[in-house]
Amino acid sequence: MAGSSHGHTPAAWTGVTISVIGFCIAGVFMVAADPIGFVGGLAVVLLGGIVGLAMRAAGLGAAKESEAAKQARVEAARASLDRAEREAVERGEGHPTGQPHAAQAEPAQQTA
């Protein structure tokens, strides 16, 4: 996923950071046998999720992938697979998986 920006947004970093702090708070109070502090830590964890969602709604999250971008990504992956198949055949290795690509597979014979 080198081409994606999954999680590399201010909304994601802020939400996760707040949630990690909440887990730490809850962990300390769990060890200290203080149920009120533990519940407070869990509340901070939930607050992290709410803050992250609010920041994403405010436009600080990752942009939605357009339909054209999705189609381009699928076509690029298909072209890369086709190129790898051609190169393997040229080297005499046959198809890398031992089967033809799904789009090139012959349809199954119907039996009556």
Side-chain angles (χ1 to χ4, degrees):
M1 296 210 130
S4 83
S5 63
H6 178 75
H8 299 280
T9 64
W13 280 102
T14 304
V16 168
T17 300
I18 293 171
S19 294
V20 167
I21 291 169
F23 276 115
C24 292
I25 292 170
V28 167
F29 282 106
M30 180 177 63
V31 172
D34 184 353
I36 294 173
F38 176 74
V39 172
L42 293 181
V44 174
V45 171
L46 292 175
L47 178 67
I50 292 168
V51 167
L53 289 174
M55 288 179 71
R56 185 177 79 180
L60 295 171
K64 296 279 185 188
E65 186 176 32
S66 69
E67 199 59 41
K70 284 181 187 177
Q71 185 63 27
R73 183 174 39 81
V74 168
E75 289 174 7
R78 193 169 288 140
S80 176
L81 179 61
D82 290 342
R83 185 180 67 240
E85 289 175 356
R86 280 193 312 272
E87 290 173 356
V89 169
E90 289 171 2
R91 288 190 305 265
E93 298 172 359
H95 190 275
T97 61
Q99 304 176 28
H101 187 272
Q104 300 168 346
E106 295 182 24
Q109 297 289 333
Q110 294 182 359
T111 57

